[in-house]
Amino acid sequence: MVRCWWLAGLLVACAAAEPPCRQQLRHLQDSAGSAARLPPRLEGRWVSTGCEVRPGPEFLTRSYLFYANRLFKALQFYYWDPSCRDPSYSLVIKGKLRLRQASWITRGATEADYHLHKVGIVFHSQKAMREVASWINQTSGEGCSGFLPPGRSWAPGALYEVLSAKTERDCTAALGFAMHELSLVRVERHYQPLLQPQQSGSQLVEELYLGDIHTDWGERLHYRPTGYQRPMQSALHHVHPCPACGIISRADEHHPPILPARAALPMQLSGSWVSTHCEVRPAVLFLTRYFTFHGNNHTWEGHYYHYSDPLCRQPTFTIYASGHYTQGIPSSKVRGGTEMAFKVTQARVTPMDQLTVVMLNSSEPGSCGLAGSWSAGVEQDITPTNGCLALGIKLPHTEYELFKTEQDTQERSLLYIGERPTDGSSPDRPDKRPTSYQAPLIQCAAASQEFSNYVSLKYVGRKDANGSEALKPLPVAFLLFIALLFLRWD
């Protein structure tokens, strides 16, 4: 697209307008508007911005209230459906949280200790009561075997205690319940432009990132997070419009939020999609993603920009991958999701800092491109070596995926791709297909609007004594090196 300027009917200048996908990538890399509060200030209520999907799958919304005296009351509302309109049960969680030091594992996060005082459950139907009671009676210890007698009738509004610190009774394991998410905390602040044409300026938005939930149900009870789940937003300072925010904020355990009905969208992948913010993965990985899907021949291209910092400003390496994908079918396990298979046939890597260059140059010959030839900012094809062992990339490679499309409150198209396994492995078998989602991508171009050319985030170094660009040393070089050894490309 070319934009021109005219003066008195004469053409005076023309310039190519930057494509929207490149604009979004540049915005993510250059965004100075986001800032993390260290230590984070938690006082007040934080709510989900929509229906959340956890591994399992579990469908829920959350409303957490933190007090100035470190006490908290957390409400978790569980549902039968992915639209969060048919409630199953609610949990009331009370306890105390103590913030500790900044995390030396996950940069930008604060570690915390928490202690649960009590957890109660409220059932919203006889079906929910019967099912949960069966889980607890069958799988819990002696103190919980008689949690609810068989045939007990459902009592609307009744609160049943499933955990008590005083009596040392804990019947929550059968629910897969744990609050380890509170052990990793990050609060971000940024300003959102006002959407109404007659208004100018911006409004404050505060987001609360809590620790991620392990994708393996058997591991979640003792997993200590190193990444984040979908952020909650301040009930006072949230993105507008947010229909779900007010509904969830006003709800309580006896009156769970019923979110507005949303029309199901057909799966239409064609076009280009890009991250909406700097994303965090377990094992100290920060990245942004950019995909182009070609629906006419079912091929795809993906760019994965990795960084060493939580604001995605210090690039470490970039992966370009391409291949083809299958026609999707509705998921029988995760309602609203579409099951697809993606084959990766080609990949290229561009190291962006000295640490990655050293690591790749020291890799075993024949395992990652041309041995000893890596240099910063120079892309190299790793297809001839069947991938890159140092980065955990195998070619050719098939992944069994879960996709979903939605529209946000501004009617922009969002794409959700299955959550990566927490252990760093790949969903390379049908039984490892995800049951939850990563952060959404936003559509930045329709099928014919965006060129599929490689988008390079140019490395900018500081000048050395001779005036040439020198590579910047990373303050977390050792940590990142360890993380890269266990990396599986995302």
Side-chain angles (χ1 to χ4, degrees), residues 306-325:
H306 290 78
Y307 302 83
S308 64
D309 68 297
L311 294 178
C312 288
R313 294 176 184 167
Q314 301 172 20
T316 54
F317 64 94
T318 296
I319 299 173
Y320 166 84
S322 63
H324 56 268
Y325 61 93

Side-chain angles (χ1 to χ4, degrees), residues 118-383:
K118 58 176 64 178
V119 178
I121 188 169
V122 176
F123 302 105
H124 301 305
S125 67
Q126 182 70 41
K127 176 187 175 184
M129 182 178 189
R130 183 170 58 249
E131 188 168 295
V132 173
S134 173
W135 297 342
I136 295 177
N137 289 338
Q138 291 177 15
T139 61
S140 298
E142 236 179 79
C144 302
S145 57
F147 171 68
L148 283 177
R152 177 79 173 268
S153 60
W154 169 54
L159 178 68
Y160 302 92
E161 193 175 77
V162 291
L163 180 148
S164 171
K166 283 187 178 179
T167 62
E168 298 184 352
R169 186 187 192 213
D170 185 357
C171 305
T172 60
L175 302 173
F177 169 83
M179 286 299 286
H180 299 325
E181 61 190 275
L182 294 177
S183 63
L184 198 68
V185 180
R186 177 179 171 86
V187 172
E188 280 192 11
R189 308 179 77 201
H190 61 90
Y191 287 87
Q192 176 202 28
L194 297 174
L195 299 177
Q196 290 75 11
Q198 68 274 18
Q199 293 180 316
S200 61
S202 58
Q203 63 178 13
L204 175 65
V205 174
E206 290 188 308
E207 294 184 310
L208 171 62
Y209 289 82
L210 297 177
D212 61 309
I213 309 299
H214 203 288
T215 53
D216 184 338
W217 184 279
E219 299 291 331
R220 64 195 296 179
L221 295 183
H222 53 80
Y223 168 67
R224 294 292 172 172
T226 56
Y228 304 116
Q229 57 186 303
R230 177 172 171 172
M232 306 169 78
Q233 291 189 3
S234 166
L236 291 177
H237 306 295
H238 58 265
V239 170
H240 291 281
C242 178
C245 294
I247 297 173
I248 297 171
S249 180
R250 293 187 295 269
D252 60 41
E253 60 269 30
H254 304 295
H255 308 90
I258 309 297
L259 300 191
R262 305 183 69 171
L265 296 180
M267 177 58 63
Q268 294 181 340
L269 280 182
S270 295
S272 297
W273 309 77
V274 68
S275 296
T276 60
H277 62 272
C278 184
E279 301 172 11
V280 183
R281 297 284 185 278
V284 207
L285 301 177
F286 307 100
L287 77 157
T288 58
R289 297 172 290 152
Y290 168 49
F291 291 97
T292 298
F293 298 95
H294 307 282
N296 57 336
N297 59 6
H298 280 202
T299 60
W300 68 278
E301 301 169 80
H303 304 82
Y304 307 82
Y305 305 102
H306 290 78
Y307 302 83
S308 64
D309 68 297
L311 294 178
C312 288
R313 294 176 184 167
Q314 301 172 20
T316 54
F317 64 94
T318 296
I319 299 173
Y320 166 84
S322 63
H324 56 268
Y325 61 93
T326 63
Q327 184 72 36
I329 60 171
S331 172
S332 59
K333 193 168 187 180
V334 186
R335 287 170 56 192
T338 299
E339 295 182 353
M340 308 180 81
F342 279 74
K343 188 161 188 178
V344 189
T345 55
Q346 294 182 314
R348 304 195 293 264
V349 171
T350 307
M352 303 295 281
D353 75 320
Q354 189 60 51
L355 176 65
T356 308
V357 169
V358 171
M359 183 193 69
L360 295 178
N361 278 330
S362 61
S363 60
E364 185 179 344
S367 68
C368 185
L370 188 59
S373 66
W374 293 94
S375 59
V378 179
E379 183 183 70
Q380 189 172 150
D381 191 355
I382 58 171
T383 309

Side-chain angles (χ1 to χ4, degrees), residues 32 46 95 111 304 337 340 387 404 426 442 464:
W46 303 83
E111 295 179 355
Y304 307 82
M340 308 180 81
K404 177 179 71 169
S426 170
I442 191 168
D464 61 16

Side-chain angles (χ1 to χ4, degrees), residues 387-405:
C388 179
L389 185 62
L391 297 179
I393 304 173
K394 288 174 55 179
L395 295 175
H397 178 69
T398 299
E399 297 200 340
Y400 296 87
E401 269 296 359
L402 181 72
F403 274 52
K404 177 179 71 169
T405 53

Side-chain angles (χ1 to χ4, degrees), residues 66-140:
F66 295 93
Y67 300 95
N69 60 0
R70 298 181 182 173
L71 295 176
F72 69 86
K73 178 182 179 181
L75 298 175
Q76 294 182 351
F77 308 100
Y78 290 82
Y79 303 81
W80 299 108
D81 67 301
S83 299
C84 290
R85 292 183 52 79
D86 186 9
S88 170
Y89 63 88
S90 299
L91 294 181
V92 188
I93 306 129
K94 295 182 178 181
K96 193 166 190 175
L97 181 72
R98 182 174 69 91
L99 297 175
R100 298 173 57 207
Q101 72 279 356
S103 172
W104 65 274
I105 297 177
T106 306
R107 292 184 63 189
T110 298
E111 295 179 355
D113 291 328
Y114 71 93
H115 178 70
L116 298 182
H117 297 159
K118 58 176 64 178
V119 178
I121 188 169
V122 176
F123 302 105
H124 301 305
S125 67
Q126 182 70 41
K127 176 187 175 184
M129 182 178 189
R130 183 170 58 249
E131 188 168 295
V132 173
S134 173
W135 297 342
I136 295 177
N137 289 338
Q138 291 177 15
T139 61
S140 298

